[in-house]
Amino acid sequence: MTLEKGQQERLAFLMRIIAKEQQHLSYSANKLFSQEFNKDRALSLEYDPELAETLEAFVSRFCRLQDTVGDKLLPAWLKAVQEKPATFIDNLDKAEKLGLLASADQWLGLRQNRNKMIDEYIEDLDVLVDAVRLANEGINLINAFADNLIEFLSKRFAL
C-alpha cells in the first residue's frame, strides 16, 4: 500500500510536530511537578507569575498535544490505512479496538478534564489541582497512543 505524496507529507509533518509537542509537554510537566502541585501551590498562582506561566504552558501544551494526536493524526492515520474517518468518538473506539489506544473512555475523560483546567480554576482551586494532576497522569496515555500510531506509520509506509 502506498500513499499519495500529499498524504505522505501531511503524515510526516504531523509526526515531526508531535515529537516536538511531546518534548515540550514533558519539559513543562517536569517543571510544574518538580514540587507537588497542591492547593497551597495553586493559591500562590496569583502572586507567583513564574508558577502561573509554568502552569499555563503545561495546560496549553497538554491540550495542543491531545488535539494534534486525536483531531489530526488519528483521522490522517485512518485515511492512510484506507478507513473512512467517522465521528471523533467512533475514531477513538476504532483505535481502541485495534489496540492502538488503551482506553477511549479515558481519552474522553481527559478531554473533558481540559475544561476544568482552562475555565473552572478561576472559581475553585480544588478543581484546578485535581484537573492538573489528572492531566499529568494522562500524559502517558496520549504519548502511548501517539507513539503507536507513529510506529505503525513508520513501519507500514517507511515514514
Side-chain angles (χ1 to χ4, degrees):
M1 181 183 316
T2 59
L3 298 174
E4 296 174 7
K5 185 176 180 176
Q7 267 186 308
Q8 287 178 332
E9 290 171 353
R10 175 76 175 150
L11 289 167
F13 168 78
L14 289 171
M15 292 165 63
R16 289 191 310 272
I17 293 299
I18 287 170
K20 290 177 186 178
E21 289 177 352
Q22 287 174 315
Q23 182 181 12
H24 293 163
L25 177 57
S26 176
Y27 172 83
S28 292
N30 288 336
K31 189 173 179 183
L32 182 62
F33 290 95
S34 64
Q35 301 173 41
E36 180 184 1
F37 189 76
N38 55 27
K39 190 170 182 179
D40 289 336
R41 274 188 83 203
L43 283 167
S44 72
L45 286 167
E46 188 174 337
Y47 309 103
D48 185 347
E50 186 175 332
L51 177 60
E53 187 172 62
T54 299
L55 175 63
E56 181 66 28
F58 172 80
V59 171
S60 175
R61 290 170 174 179
F62 177 87
C63 294
R64 187 177 304 116
L65 178 60
Q66 191 179 35
D67 286 346
T68 304
V69 174
D71 296 341
K72 295 177 182 164
L73 182 60
L74 178 56
W77 181 89
L78 288 166
K79 288 177 187 173
V81 297
Q82 298 181 348
E83 291 282 341
K84 184 177 179 183
T87 66
F88 182 71
I89 293 171
D90 289 340
N91 291 345
L92 290 176
D93 285 341
K94 184 172 284 194
E96 183 179 358
K97 287 177 186 165
L98 294 171
L100 298 166
L101 175 62
S103 170
D105 288 338
Q106 188 179 358
W107 183 278
L108 291 170
L110 289 172
R111 194 170 170 117
Q112 292 169 346
N113 185 60
R114 293 164 44 159
N115 293 337
K116 293 177 184 175
M117 289 190 298
I118 294 169
D119 299 326
E120 296 181 25
Y121 74 90
I122 294 169
E123 294 294 320
D124 189 342
L125 291 179
D126 289 323
V127 171
L128 172 66
V129 170
D130 290 343
V132 169
R133 286 179 179 165
L134 181 63
N136 189 49
E137 293 168 8
I139 291 171
N140 290 336
L141 177 81
I142 296 170
N143 282 336
F145 184 36
D147 293 345
N148 288 340
L149 292 170
I150 289 168
E151 181 181 357
F152 180 94
L153 291 167
S154 296
K155 288 180 179 177
R156 172 69 70 86
F157 302 108
L159 294 174

